[in-house]
């Protein structure tokens, strides 16, 4: 099944979204120029989610990618709710009081976030009252706890992640008289999601990561070339510190059963995630909730089984690892992406492809043919293709789309092969998942002038 270039483009561009930070009096006062984002599904429906919002009562911008498993319910809930928890955690005491007084007296609330959403980014209206009540309980507690100190961004991020995960768990335990909502909160809690979130405020960039999505900084060196700086670590079996952490939290007798076949308890790839109460609740609690829950829950194979060697839960946490980075003028962009991208591309290639796309300069790499025996005819073909590529390289108006095109269509020479792209994008739903994962990407472009000016002020 062969797709024409326009058909390929319409598939690749279906979920793209761009946002440019507005300028004031011809000046851009933000360290962020704007961002491009896109998603390419492999699962039907897609299990990845993305979010972007400007914090209105504090400075700063929030961006995040969320990778769901065992369904999309948890990723959906986290993508809608997490930024509110972070924003509330960052608010000064008097603003929290103002918001609480407004709710008390039925006045209009101060808006906390300005969302930047693609029309396909769904928000569940049915659960909004439940979600709001949980959030309100959180800010009431923050008001009561008021220590008078200004909130540290790192702490705010950690508290928000942990609190939202706790609320997801509590809502499922309490249930809801409305059967639709009851089923929803249970689906959210029994499915899972990883999260990689950036908070950018002036030159302060914080990355909070739970699971195996990644954040990477694109740096332009003095000679114009591009390099990649990792700003997150995967929480999985490949990370020795993470394996050690899990082992430290459980008795020595469980050492052999904790990580099997590179999975937590032999089942779960990420070692940190939201939801996934199958790895957090006691067996008694799981049984009680499932028995009192709606019938649909019993039809779901995932909820019924108990993980093997399940002795000392919780085995899983949503606590993020937070990395702080002070932005420098040579830091040109940030890529946040779910593991669907990193499984297919090395970060160094990601940095180069995005860097060249954003600057519009195509540094001619010497053609590398590795250990391949290449005839003159093939060499001629590669050079012709390169020439064609230079003229078409900027057909994408969106950096995330440009990256997805490479992730799915790259051949062994590192160039986009239209035939391969066409094949990969025309795979039927049930096959697509065997060849690739959902891919979600946000590319944030920084404003070097603003960053340089902030640095000089400091």
């Amino acid at each position: 099944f062969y797709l024409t270039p326009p058909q390929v483009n319409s598939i690749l561009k279906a979920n793209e979204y761009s946002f440019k930070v507005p300028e004031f009096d011809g000046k851009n006062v933000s360290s962020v120029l704007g961002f491009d984002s896109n998603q390419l599904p492999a699962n039907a429906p897609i299990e990845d989610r993305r979010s972007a919002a400007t914090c209105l009562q504090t400075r700063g911008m929030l961006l995040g990618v969320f990778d769901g498993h065992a369904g999309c319910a948890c990723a959906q809930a986290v993508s809608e709710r997490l930024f509110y928890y972070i924003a509330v955690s960052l608010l000064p005491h008097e603003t929290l009081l103002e918001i609480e007084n407004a709710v008390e007296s039925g006045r209009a609330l101060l808006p906390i976030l300005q969302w930047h959403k693609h029309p396909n980014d769904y928000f569940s209206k049915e659960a909004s009252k439940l979600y709001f009540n949980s959030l309100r309980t959180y800010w009431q507690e923050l008001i009561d706890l008021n220590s008078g100190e200004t909130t540290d961004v790192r702490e705010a991020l950690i508290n928000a992640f942990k609190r939202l995960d706790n609320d997801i768990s509590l809502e499922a335990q309490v249930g809801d008289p409305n059967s639709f909502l009851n089923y929803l909160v249970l689906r959210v809690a029994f499915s899972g999601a990883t999260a990689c979130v950036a908070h950018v405020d002036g030159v302060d960039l914080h990355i909070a990561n739970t699971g195996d999505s990644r954040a990477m900084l694109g740096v332009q060196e003095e000679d114009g070339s591009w390099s990649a700086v990792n700003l997150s670590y995967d929480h999985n079996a490949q990370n020795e510190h993470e394996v050690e952490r899990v082992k430290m939290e459980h008795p020595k007798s469980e050492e052999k059963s904790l990580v099997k076949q590179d999975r937590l308890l032999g089942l779960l790839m990420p070692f940190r995630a939201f939801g996934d109460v199958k790895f957090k609740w006691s067996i008694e609690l799981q049984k009680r909730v499932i028995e009192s829950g709606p019938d649909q829950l019993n039809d779901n194979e995932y909820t019924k089984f108990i993980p093997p060697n399940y002795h000392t839960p919780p085995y899983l946490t949503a606590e993020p690892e937070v990395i702080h980075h002070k932005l420098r003028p040579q830091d040109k962009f940030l890529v946040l992406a779910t593991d669907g991208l990193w499984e297919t591309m090395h970060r160094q290639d990601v940095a180069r492809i995005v860097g060249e796309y954003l600057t519009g300069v195509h540094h001619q790499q010497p053609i590398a043919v590795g250990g391949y025996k290449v005839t003159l005819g093939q060499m001629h073909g590669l050079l012709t293709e390169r020439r064609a590529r230079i003229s078409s390289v900027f057909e994408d108006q969106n950096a995330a789309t440009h990256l997805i095109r490479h992730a799915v269509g790259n051949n062994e020479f590192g160039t986009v092969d239209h035939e391969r792209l066409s094949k990969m994008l025309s795979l039927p739903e049930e096959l697509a998942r065997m060849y690739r994962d959902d891919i979600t990407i946000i590319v944030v472009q920084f404003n070097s002038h603003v960053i340089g000016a902030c640095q000089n002020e400091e």
Side-chain angles (χ1 to χ4, degrees):
F1 187 58
Y2 193 74
L3 301 173
T4 64
Q7 286 171 319
V8 163
N9 282 346
S10 76
I11 293 171
L12 288 179
K13 292 171 190 279
N15 297 310
E16 67 180 13
Y17 177 83
S18 291
F19 174 75
K20 294 276 169 280
V21 174
E23 295 196 7
F24 302 94
D25 306 330
K27 279 201 178 68
N28 182 325
V29 291
S30 169
S31 55
V32 175
L33 281 170
F35 69 85
D36 288 341
S37 83
N38 201 349
Q39 293 189 298
L40 182 68
N43 291 295
I46 185 170
E47 294 183 344
D48 280 6
R49 293 292 184 272
R50 57 180 164 180
S51 295
T54 302
C55 299
L56 294 172
Q57 306 305 328
T58 54
R59 294 176 9 184
M61 194 176 215
L62 285 165
L63 306 111
V65 295
F66 311 95
D67 187 348
H69 47 265
C72 59
C74 188
Q76 178 62 43
V78 174
S79 74
E80 291 180 41
R81 305 176 67 182
L82 181 57
F83 287 6
Y84 282 115
Y85 280 71
I86 294 172
V88 163
S89 307
L90 287 166
L91 289 177
H93 186 244
E94 51 278 17
T95 313
L96 288 173
L97 279 173
E98 240 174 280
I99 292 174
E100 177 56 28
N101 292 337
V103 179
E104 276 287 305
S105 56
R107 292 198 316 274
L109 280 191
L110 282 173
I112 300 178
L113 294 174
Q114 177 196 352
W115 290 92
H116 310 300
K117 290 209 299 277
H118 185 280
N120 293 357
D121 296 343
Y122 162 80
F123 259 45
S124 54
K125 310 235 179 343
E126 305 83 7
S128 56
K129 194 169 183 322
L130 169 78
Y131 290 173
F132 177 79
N133 290 338
S134 292
L135 181 70
R136 185 183 178 191
T137 305
Y138 178 42
W139 80 55
Q140 287 170 334
E141 285 176 28
L142 288 173
I143 290 171
D144 295 342
L145 284 171
N146 173 36
S147 58
E149 293 167 20
T150 51
T151 319
D152 171 62
V153 177
R154 185 174 178 278
E155 241 158 76
L157 288 163
I158 292 171
N159 293 342
F161 272 61
K162 286 163 73 172
R163 178 57 182 238
L164 172 57
D165 192 51
N166 199 41
D167 283 355
I168 285 171
S169 173
L170 272 177
E171 289 156 4
Q173 291 171 49
V174 172
D176 197 281
N178 169 334
S179 63
F180 172 81
L181 270 183
N182 194 25
Y183 184 46
L184 177 81
V185 296
L186 289 165
R187 274 182 43 223
V188 168
F190 276 95
S191 58
T194 68
C196 188
V197 170
H199 178 263
V200 195
D201 177 5
V203 292
D204 289 304
L205 168 62
H206 286 84
I207 301 290
N209 182 51
T210 287
D212 52 10
S213 292
R214 275 185 213 168
M216 182 213 90
L217 198 61
V219 181
Q220 191 165 29
E221 304 298 344
E222 283 182 4
D223 65 357
S225 66
W226 294 94
S227 65
V229 176
N230 267 354
L231 288 181
S232 67
Y233 299 102
D234 294 355
H235 299 133
N236 58 23
Q238 271 58 61
N239 179 339
E240 289 169 22
H241 296 291
E242 198 58 12
V243 175
E244 274 314 299
R245 176 189 67 79
V246 171
K247 286 182 177 169
M248 293 287 289
E249 290 172 5
H250 298 277
K252 197 117 179 79
S253 56
E254 291 185 56
E255 204 166 19
K256 289 201 163 49
S257 57
L258 279 171
V259 180
K260 278 188 152 171
Q261 288 156 337
D262 282 352
R263 291 168 182 256
L264 189 64
L265 297 182
L267 296 167
L268 200 62
M269 291 282 274
F271 283 18
R272 301 190 196 195
F274 283 91
D276 279 322
V277 293
K278 301 240 31 113
F279 295 85
K280 294 173 181 170
W281 289 357
S282 69
I283 293 175
E284 297 72 44
L285 178 58
Q286 291 189 38
K287 285 186 171 150
R288 181 171 67 71
V289 169
I290 288 165
E291 278 160 18
S292 60
D295 294 340
Q296 300 108 300
L297 207 62
N298 292 319
D299 306 337
N300 183 336
E301 285 305 307
Y302 184 69
T303 52
K304 276 199 292 226
F305 82 97
I306 301 289
N309 302 301
Y310 197 76
H311 308 296
T312 52
Y315 288 91
L316 193 62
T317 176
E319 180 169 337
E321 193 170 7
V322 178
I323 288 182
H324 172 239
H325 176 83
K326 276 249 188 274
L327 290 169
R328 310 156 301 172
Q330 63 265 40
D331 300 332
K332 300 299 184 187
F333 61 88
L334 171 74
V335 176
L336 298 172
T338 53
D339 63 347
L341 173 71
W342 311 109
E343 282 165 5
T344 58
M345 291 191 82
H346 189 273
R347 62 176 183 271
Q348 202 47 58
D349 294 328
V350 170
R352 182 179 55 78
I353 287 164
V354 176
E356 289 174 358
Y357 170 83
L358 290 176
T359 51
V361 183
H362 205 83
H363 275 291
Q364 288 290 24
Q365 300 277 342
I367 283 195
V369 287
Y372 299 96
K373 286 199 165 61
V374 179
T375 64
L376 273 174
Q378 285 168 319
M379 198 62 167
H380 176 71
L382 280 171
L383 289 165
T384 320
E385 193 182 318
R386 170 187 270 187
R387 194 174 312 129
R389 193 170 80 243
I390 294 165
S391 58
S392 73
V393 71
F394 303 120
E395 63 188 313
D396 292 318
Q397 309 298 288
N398 178 303
T401 308
H402 189 64
L403 203 43
I404 290 176
R405 189 184 297 276
H406 277 269
V408 179
N410 264 5
N411 59 16
E412 63 271 33
F413 301 117
T415 59
V416 175
D417 176 340
H418 177 75
E419 199 172 320
R420 180 183 164 81
L421 196 54
S422 165
K423 276 183 191 157
M424 289 295 278
L425 293 179
S426 60
L427 288 169
E429 276 171 10
E430 60 279 8
L431 271 182
R433 187 61 195 85
M434 294 163 66
Y435 285 89
R436 55 184 176 83
D437 196 354
D438 297 329
I439 299 176
T440 298
I441 300 173
I442 300 177
V443 178
V444 187
Q445 201 176 349
F446 295 122
N447 189 329
S448 306
H449 300 299
V450 171
I451 291 167
C454 290
Q455 266 192 339
N456 294 340
E457 282 169 28
E458 286 188 2

